[in-house]
Amino acid sequence: MAQNVAEQGLSRDELIALRNKRTGMTVFQISWIMVFVCLIVVNWQLRSNSPTWPPAGVEPLPWALPTIVTILLVVSGWLVHNALQAINANQLGRFFGQWRAALVLGAAFVAVIAFEWITIPTTGQYSTVFRVMTAYHAVHAVAIGLYMWYVDGRVRAERVTARDTWAVEAGMKLWYFVIAAWIMFYLVLYVL
Amino acid sequence: MAAVTAPTLPGVAGEEPTRLHVSDYLRWSVDHKIIGVQYMATALFFFIFGGALAMLIRWELLTPAIDLMADGQAYNSLFSIHGTVMIFLWIIPMIAGLGNYLVPLMLGAKDMAFPWLNAFAFWLIPPAGMLMILGYFVGQTEAGWTSYPPLSTLFSGDGQTLWALSLHLLGISSILGSINFIVTIRNMRPAGMGYFQMPLFVWAVLATSIIVVMATPFLAGALTLLILDRVAGTAFFNPAQGGDVLLWQNVFWFYSHPAVYIMVLPAFGVISELLAVHSRKPVFGYRAIALSSMAIALVGFTVWAHHMFTSLTPELRIPFMITSMIIAVPTGIKVFSWLGTIWGGKIHFTSAMLFALSFLSMFVIGGISGVMLGSVPWDIHVHDTYFVVSHLHFVLFGGSVLAIYGGIYHWFPKITGRMLDERLGKIHFWITYPAFFLTFFPMHLAGMLGMPRRVAQYAPEFQTLNVIISIAAFVLGISTFILLYNIVWSLYHGEKASANPWRALTLEWATSSPPPSTNFIGDPVPFPNPYGYGTEAAYNYVESQNKKYGTVNPADYLPAEKSTAVTSE
Amino acid sequence: MSSSHPPSPRSTPNMTPSLALIIVGVVVMIAGGLGFTLFIPMILPPQASTQAQQVDQLFTFLLFFGGVIFILVEGVILVSVIRFRAQPGDLADGPPVSGNTTLELVWTAIPAVLVTVLAILSYTVWINTRAIPANEMSVGATAARFAWTFNYEVGQETLPTTLNFGDLKPEIQADLTDEDGVVHFNNPKLYTWVGQPVVMEMQSQDVNHAFWIPAMRVKQDVLPGRTTEIRFTPTMAGNYRIVCAELCGSGHGAMAGEVGRDGELLGAWLIVFENEEDYLANFFDPAAATVLVPPDDPALLGRQILASGAYPCATCHTLDDLGWTGNIGPNMNGIGDRAAARAQTTGDADGAAYLEHSLRHPGDYLVPGFGNLMPQFNPDPGQPNYMPQSDLDAIVAYLLTQTANPSN
């Protein structure tokens, strides 16, 4: 994130705190993405034990709907990015529009994945590993979505202002995390 | 020390001494110094608990038959919880505590980057520890600290599930703590302290934290799957349903081998500090030591499958042998650099230094047996035997614990404002050192001769060795209480410590003992080279610190003319 | 001490070691390293296979180099603490020497070269110990909590000389002439003879185990869901313990060969005979004969099945008639009486039904004081711990004869 105009008005301690938060967020993202990498490793090892994947007699996952919501999810990333720029520029109307649109897309994504989760067969490693991966991801998507909802409220209550938009920036970065993790999962589950 | 006039602490006008009551340590606090002490006290409690279990293990092994324990399962729970507690509730939190206390001080900072998160990470540990102990008493935690499925998924008893939940919490605590360390070290160094002017302990904490944040998530992943297999009916580790028992081993060791470095790298850091200070000589090859920590952290991610030399597909064993052998090189660099540090110095035999030297002499045995274990054909013979038990205790007790002991003697004055009793310290050392060797060295022989690990009953020909080991272990167990007694006694009756009793150059000594709640009065200026001993500049720096805060010299640092030992402002 | 210059050291120790010290040091290192290797015969089990010879040779190198490094490090520490100890009252610092690039390169290069050499040696030994000999004998091994069962096969070519194919029962003849042409039989011990290479094909019925013969220096995990292999060629006759080296539960420690009170070998042992004739005469022929000519009396057949170690009962149960001494599970002496009595409380028709239920569903009838540790023996060949109904009937018939006052 480039420094915005408002940040230049921050005190030294506030600047250090902001810098710490940004570094902390980056380290956290690098760390926590490893859980998702771990699940991918699990997927690969189970795969390597089966002569074909999906195993013989198991229907491959339907891919059309998930692909559409994956694209929507990427769009939501662009929206949160715009929302942060909007609030930094003190354009609250634009912020709410973009931020809430992203939330709606996120909700749609979770709903579609939940639908897939319910409709696939309940037994067999192919389904189980899919369920664990998507459920694990969905927990993060929902938790971070709720946080973004909370940030929305904070902005409405004018607790987050253009002077300190860290709450929004954090929401955006966490949402990026959700998107990045999902793209990895999407590639592993549907493409590779 | 009748001649010693106690300085007014912290010695700077206008600042009231920070006197903390015990109850301050039982409450939520965001002060890194309080959190550090909370970590260390909690860890010591679990050390006693884990040690008591070890005594029971050794009691059981006095005879070849099962007699003390009701059955094999009870014995299995014993060593499973012993291993888990010692690793996750003693060494890791103890080191986190030392790091918490020292890193901000060494960096001249007021606190960690995220004080609230710091406290939160600590407060995950007591409930996690309670879950672990509960798991022990609920029972059926019988799969070892490695908890290989299908044994760990065979029974529905809650003990194993509680074990996994407890580790989950500890893992999260560890990750949060390490994020905090990395951010603090990266962002909060004072002006004039680049990465290569940092104390080596800080380097070690940095390397450790990088391992924690990269590897611990794998533990979280593995535990999630284990819990799902146990309670939600999935079958990730059940081969009958397309699962794979080696899946656990791969994912678990991807965390747990680096976890060894999580435990031992900070010990390396402690040793680098202690050897330089107490032999009054700069660290030999500072950059080599700093960078070898990073090399170990990096290569440490590629060696996990050497724990699987008897289960891994044979074709894959050789690559892991090569990486495991490579990691001996940076470790060797450290050992030789430490030897270079003490060589030609002026060695003061303080208790801290004795433990640092004992670390050096014992850790090398763990290193040598480590290279032996890296060699596939030899490992195959001694895999899962007492040889491995011996190796890991030489690394974790001879390495981490001896370094922690040294660290306690070294930093206790800073933390409490009082010196530990040196005479008791030396008694502690001279009992611990031989008892340690006699406990763990004969285990090599038992393993080579054919005694597997994790057994409550063994072939009668191993009894002599086991009796020797057990007796030494009991002595080792008792010696721990000398340290504990020393800590408690010195807390109230110990000699008052000055700001810099060891005449060290790192920043944690450039403030009163104990430091005020803001750590420093004004912005501290680091000495350009944290180990620049032997120069006039260093001498003057220490003298100016002493002038500011007053001195009380420990016995070993008294000038010859003892009657004029002390000057105060 | 308010002076602004450091107190001058009483003596400045010379940092450069003298030539004499270096020479003495090198001699001590090499002599010590060699000295350590002299202990090898004392600290290793008997060297009884070609693999063991190779591994021990490798260990000699490892111990020698390890010993050299050990003496070097301890020696430097020892010399330092003697020579460089601070004199009382000496507050001066040591010399401000903070490194020496040449020295650092040397002590990076030497360990690097050393581990390379050791890696190459290890690799060579690894390849040699895994070489597949031409005439190897394949033996199956099944690990179950808490016993090993070794699976042998007898075919028409290997028929014991005392038996005539024509004299065998028709169903046995059919087994010997069907597609795989062999009859399988089990034994709790592993037999071979000097010079005969063995390859083990190992499977687990339940959890992870590890097959280890210390005297052969071979070990391999036995994992559920896959078959693992291990090879060794014995070079010395004798009896060697087979040990389970991977934690498998409460009876893990019991899953090794044991010497009974009267010196008999219980549990898992490797018996290496001097030659093939001894092997055939003392093990293979009589063992094969018992399965090729099964007794008609079901109780005798049941006794024979249990005695063969086909099922892992002996580690956990005590039964005097078969020499079992385990104490992880209930005592089986007098089970014939107790089964009849228990059947009345459990609602089983009779003692036989009670025993059958106990084998098929051991968790249902736990004897007070014992945990649910026994494997469930399944009637379906696809499941683990398969026990055919015919075996079960024979075992039950035998167990019913084990009354407090055995009639035989």
Side-chain angles (χ1 to χ4, degrees):
Chain A
M1 244 358 260
Q3 266 204 358
N4 59 54
V5 187
E7 270 173 33
Q8 287 159 15
L10 296 178
S11 72
R12 180 169 165 267
D13 281 355
E14 281 172 323
L15 271 176
I16 291 177
L18 186 61
R19 188 164 160 238
N20 283 347
K21 285 174 186 165
R22 285 187 176 144
T23 316
M25 176 63 79
T26 309
V27 177
F28 171 75
Q29 287 175 326
I30 293 171
S31 172
W32 208 238
I33 202 78
M34 292 303 283
V35 188
F36 294 81
V37 172
C38 173
L39 289 174
I40 289 173
V41 169
V42 168
N43 183 308
W44 277 341
Q45 183 155 357
L46 290 173
R47 236 181 236 221
S48 69
N49 290 338
S50 175
T52 58
W53 196 257
V58 177
E59 283 289 304
L61 295 167
W63 57 272
L65 212 48
T67 306
I68 293 170
V69 288
T70 304
I71 294 167
L72 293 183
L73 197 62
V74 174
V75 172
S76 75
W78 178 69
L79 291 173
V80 289
H81 174 77
N82 285 347
L84 177 64
Q85 284 190 333
I87 194 163
N88 279 340
N90 218 355
Q91 301 165 335
L92 281 188
R94 208 177 116 225
F95 166 78
F96 284 121
Q98 307 271 359
W99 193 253
R100 288 173 187 172
L103 273 174
V104 169
L105 291 184
F109 166 81
V110 173
V112 166
I113 297 301
F115 173 75
E116 295 290 323
W117 207 89
I118 295 165
T119 49
I120 62 162
T122 50
T123 53
Q125 289 297 343
Y126 185 68
S127 309
T128 315
V129 77
F130 170 83
R131 278 157 184 277
V132 168
M133 287 170 78
T134 49
Y136 198 80
H137 181 266
V139 167
H140 289 79
V142 169
I144 290 167
L146 287 175
Y147 170 74
M148 289 166 69
W149 180 250
Y150 164 77
V151 169
D152 187 271
R154 301 271 291 175
V155 177
R156 251 181 293 141
E158 296 182 8
R159 304 292 291 275
V160 175
T161 59
R163 187 168 178 278
D164 179 8
T165 55
W166 167 250
V168 177
E169 189 183 329
M172 177 196 78
K173 286 182 169 169
L174 290 170
W175 192 248
Y176 280 177
F177 178 83
V178 168
I179 298 169
W182 176 254
I183 289 172
M184 282 167 31
F185 275 14
Y186 176 79
L187 291 174
V188 170
L189 289 170
Y190 295 100
V191 182
L192 300 175
Chain B
M1 303 284 138
V4 170
T5 42
T8 328
L9 293 174
V12 174
E15 181 75 7
E16 277 302 301
T18 328
R19 275 276 159 256
L20 287 167
H21 190 258
V22 175
S23 64
D24 290 308
Y25 292 94
L26 300 174
R27 281 201 293 263
W28 175 274
S29 165
V30 295
D31 182 335
H32 76 99
K33 297 187 290 302
I34 293 182
I35 297 170
V37 173
Q38 287 173 330
Y39 264 112
M40 289 188 267
T42 312
L44 275 169
F45 167 78
F46 285 108
F47 183 42
I48 304 301
F49 179 73
L53 298 184
M55 295 300 107
L56 291 176
I57 292 173
R58 289 319 315 176
W59 191 273
E60 169 63 60
L61 292 176
L62 280 169
T63 59
I66 300 188
D67 27 37
L68 179 67
M69 291 288 122
D71 54 21
Q73 205 169 33
Y75 179 79
N76 292 352
S77 299
L78 202 58
F79 66 72
S80 303
I81 300 294
H82 163 73
T84 319
V85 163
M86 286 303 200
I87 292 169
F88 292 99
L89 287 163
W90 154 237
I91 298 184
I92 291 180
M94 183 68 200
I95 276 162
L98 265 185
N100 244 298
Y101 200 98
L102 295 173
V103 166
L105 284 172
M106 286 178 164
L107 296 180
K110 285 193 184 71
D111 207 317
M112 298 278 280
F114 307 112
W116 189 89
L117 193 68
N118 201 15
F120 181 71
F122 165 73
W123 283 103
L124 288 174
I125 289 181
M130 289 306 126
L131 282 182
M132 183 69 68
I133 292 180
L134 195 64
Y136 175 61
F137 289 110
V138 167
Q140 292 193 344
T141 322
E142 64 153 340
W145 83 274
T146 53
S147 282
Y148 281 7
L151 186 59
S152 57
T153 53
L154 196 60
F155 293 113
S156 54
D158 293 328
Q160 192 76 50
T161 311
L162 289 172
W163 174 91
L165 287 173
S166 167
L167 276 202
H168 235 319
L169 287 181
L170 293 169
I172 290 166
S173 159
S174 201
I175 291 175
L176 295 178
S178 295
I179 291 174
N180 218 340
F181 279 131
I182 293 176
V183 176
T184 307
I185 295 169
R186 178 181 180 272
N187 290 351
M188 298 173 74
R189 277 171 287 120
M193 190 190 281
Y195 281 110
F196 285 102
Q197 281 82 42
M198 293 195 309
L200 285 168
F201 180 73
V202 179
W203 263 103
V205 170
L206 180 62
T208 304
S209 301
I210 290 173
I211 302 177
V212 170
V213 297
M214 299 298 287
T216 316
F218 266 70
L219 179 69
L223 289 169
T224 305
L225 299 186
L226 186 72
I227 294 171
L228 287 175
D229 264 19
R230 288 185 59 80
V231 303
T234 59
F236 288 107
F237 307 122
N238 182 351
Q241 294 174 47
D244 186 348
V245 293
L246 290 188
L247 176 60
W248 168 267
Q249 297 185 16
N250 273 316
V251 176
F252 178 80
W253 284 116
F254 188 80
Y255 162 73
S256 290
H257 189 78
V260 175
Y261 302 112
I262 291 172
M263 287 181 273
V264 88
L265 280 181
F268 291 171
V270 168
I271 292 304
S272 303
E273 301 293 330
L274 265 53
L275 291 179
V277 172
H278 294 278
S279 53
R280 315 304 310 158
K281 202 166 147 276
V283 163
F284 197 92
Y286 171 94
R287 266 171 197 261
I289 292 188
L291 293 176
S292 64
S293 290
M294 287 295 160
I296 290 173
L298 205 69
V299 184
F301 280 106
T302 64
V303 303
W304 79 90
H306 68 216
H307 294 268
M308 300 161 62
F309 277 164
T310 63
S311 58
L312 193 69
T313 316
E315 290 70 31
L316 291 176
R317 293 176 192 176
I318 293 299
F320 285 100
M321 171 176 90
I322 293 168
T323 53
S324 305
M325 293 249 171
I326 288 173
I327 210 161
V329 177
T331 316
I333 291 175
K334 277 184 191 292
V335 171
F336 291 123
S337 300
W338 290 325
L339 293 178
T341 305
I342 60 171
W343 184 268
K346 297 209 174 243
I347 300 174
H348 293 258
F349 291 100
T350 55
S351 305
M353 185 60 170
L354 288 175
F355 276 106
L357 289 170
S358 71
F359 163 95
L360 202 49
S361 63
M362 290 297 108
F363 178 76
V364 69
I365 299 179
I368 291 167
S369 60
V371 173
M372 290 178 174
L373 287 170
S375 159
V376 178
W378 175 250
D379 177 80
I380 283 177
H381 175 53
V382 291
H383 197 96
D384 269 322
T385 68
Y386 262 85
F387 190 89
V388 173
V389 179
S390 179
H391 163 73
L392 74 92
H393 283 96
F394 266 93
V395 172
L396 295 182
F397 199 123
S400 308
V401 179
L402 291 180
I404 288 170
Y405 283 172
I408 290 176
Y409 285 99
H410 187 73
W411 281 296
F412 188 86
K414 178 53 61 186
I415 296 170
T416 64
R418 287 179 190 271
M419 309 296 294
L420 277 172
D421 187 78
E422 276 290 312
R423 201 168 50 92
L424 278 176
K426 275 164 192 159
I427 296 172
H428 174 217
F429 172 78
W430 283 111
I431 297 178
T432 301
Y433 188 52
F436 163 78
F437 185 80
L438 287 175
T439 303
F440 296 110
F441 193 81
M443 289 184 184
H444 285 120
L445 309 179
M448 286 190 268
L449 285 167
M451 182 167 163
R453 69 195 284 202
R454 297 175 166 171
V455 291
Q457 55 208 113
Y458 53 84
E461 61 257 35
F462 303 126
Q463 190 171 9
T464 316
L465 274 174
N466 275 290
V467 169
I468 295 171
I469 292 170
S470 288
I471 292 171
F474 297 146
V475 176
L476 186 61
I478 291 165
S479 78
T480 313
F481 287 96
I482 303 175
L483 173 67
L484 292 179
Y485 173 76
N486 198 350
I487 288 176
V488 174
W489 187 87
S490 302
L491 214 47
Y492 296 100
H493 309 292
E495 199 187 326
K496 288 249 164 54
S498 62
N500 192 0
W502 315 120
R503 304 175 60 83
L505 294 175
T506 41
L507 271 182
E508 79 271 29
W509 303 104
T511 182
S512 61
S513 302
S517 61
T518 53
N519 287 354
F520 298 94
I521 315 294
D523 285 338
V525 181
F527 189 70
N529 175 356
Y531 306 105
Y533 299 105
T535 59
E536 186 147 351
Y539 183 83
N540 292 337
Y541 178 81
V542 170
E543 285 303 309
S544 72
Q545 297 292 347
N546 286 349
K547 223 168 181 164
K548 194 163 160 196
Y549 297 105
T551 33
V552 182
N553 287 307
D556 214 64
Y557 281 82
L558 278 181
E561 53 281 26
K562 288 186 182 180
S563 53
T564 58
V566 168
T567 52
S568 191
E569 304 198 41
Chain C
M1 259 229 327
S2 47
S3 57
S4 63
H5 60 86
S8 59
R10 301 254 164 100
S11 61
T12 311
N14 189 359
M15 280 186 68
T16 321
S18 64
L19 189 64
L21 184 65
I22 293 175
I23 291 172
V24 170
V26 170
V27 169
V28 170
M29 275 157 61
I30 292 172
L34 290 172
F36 286 135
T37 62
L38 295 178
F39 287 99
I40 288 181
M42 274 175 263
I43 57 179
L44 285 176
Q47 190 189 72
S49 71
T50 52
Q51 282 74 13
Q53 290 162 358
Q54 306 238 10
V55 171
D56 291 1
Q57 214 167 49
L58 174 66
F59 179 59
T60 311
F61 282 105
L62 289 169
L63 189 61
F64 172 73
F65 288 119
V68 168
I69 299 282
F70 174 77
I71 294 171
L72 172 68
V73 172
E74 308 297 345
V76 173
I77 296 175
L78 206 62
V79 172
S80 301
V81 300
I82 293 168
R83 219 169 122 181
F84 302 115
R85 58 185 311 157
Q87 299 304 311
D90 185 355
L91 269 193
D93 288 351
V97 178
S98 58
N100 179 324
T101 313
T102 321
L103 205 54
E104 288 171 47
L105 283 177
V106 167
W107 69 45
T108 307
I110 290 179
V113 171
L114 204 59
V115 296
T116 310
V117 170
L118 292 177
I120 292 169
L121 278 173
S122 303
Y123 178 73
T124 325
V125 170
W126 170 243
I127 293 300
N128 290 342
T129 53
R130 281 171 40 82
I132 304 176
N135 56 337
E136 68 184 10
M137 164 170 96
S138 170
V139 182
T142 308
R145 292 165 32 112
F146 300 100
W148 296 97
T149 303
F150 300 101
N151 322 120
Y152 303 84
E153 53 188 40
V154 53
Q156 270 177 284
E157 293 82 52
T158 50
L159 215 56
T161 44
T162 50
L163 291 182
N164 215 330
F165 181 75
D167 299 341
L168 300 177
K169 285 182 186 168
E171 63 266 26
I172 303 281
Q173 285 189 357
D175 276 349
L176 285 170
T177 46
D178 68 3
E179 225 167 274
D180 70 345
V182 291
V183 169
H184 294 270
F185 65 98
N186 295 311
N187 198 287
K189 296 187 182 64
L190 177 60
Y191 296 89
T192 184
W193 65 92
V194 172
Q196 171 59 47
V198 181
V199 56
M200 308 293 306
E201 308 275 348
M202 303 183 289
Q203 284 178 319
S204 167
Q205 298 289 310
D206 35 51
V207 300
N208 301 354
H209 301 271
F211 178 87
W212 181 32
I213 312 179
M216 305 286 138
R217 312 283 192 275
V218 291
K219 186 184 287 128
Q220 167 64 45
D221 281 15
V222 183
L223 305 166
R226 44 185 97 190
T227 303
T228 48
E229 276 188 348
I230 197 164
R231 296 191 153 73
F232 62 91
T233 309
T235 53
M236 205 164 78
N239 305 327
Y240 307 105
R241 264 202 187 83
I242 296 173
V243 180
C244 176
E246 182 65 69
L247 179 62
C248 58
S250 62
H252 172 53
M255 207 171 154
E258 229 188 302
V259 183
R261 237 168 287 133
D262 308 322
E264 75 276 36
L265 302 182
L266 307 173
W269 288 82
L270 165 66
I271 315 288
V272 180
F273 292 106
E274 286 291 352
N275 50 48
E276 188 171 5
E277 291 72 50
D278 285 1
Y279 166 81
L280 290 175
N282 293 314
F283 161 66
F284 189 81
D285 286 356
T290 55
V291 288
L292 293 171
V293 190
D296 291 323
D297 177 0
L300 284 181
L301 179 63
R303 186 180 191 282
Q304 182 181 311
I305 291 168
L306 289 182
S308 78
Y311 302 99
C313 316
T315 319
C316 302
H317 295 288
T318 290
L319 182 55
D320 294 344
D321 185 41
L322 290 171
W324 296 352
T325 56
N327 54 11
I328 294 166
N331 191 317
M332 288 290 118
N333 288 330
I335 185 67
D337 299 328
R338 290 201 302 281
R342 292 235 177 86
Q344 292 170 356
T345 57
T346 57
D348 285 296
D350 52 12
Y354 169 82
L355 287 174
E356 174 165 352
H357 193 116
S358 297
L359 284 160
R360 291 284 189 227
H361 304 282
D364 291 359
Y365 300 156
L366 290 182
V367 176
F370 294 95
N372 183 10
L373 288 171
M374 182 163 145
Q376 173 169 323
F377 292 99
N378 293 306
D380 172 5
Q383 290 173 289
N385 294 303
Y386 166 54
M387 181 186 279
Q389 192 63 35
S390 54
D391 278 15
L392 185 123
D393 291 341
I395 290 170
V396 168
Y398 164 70
L399 288 178
L400 286 174
T401 66
Q402 295 302 301
T403 52
N405 301 301
S407 49
N408 53 344

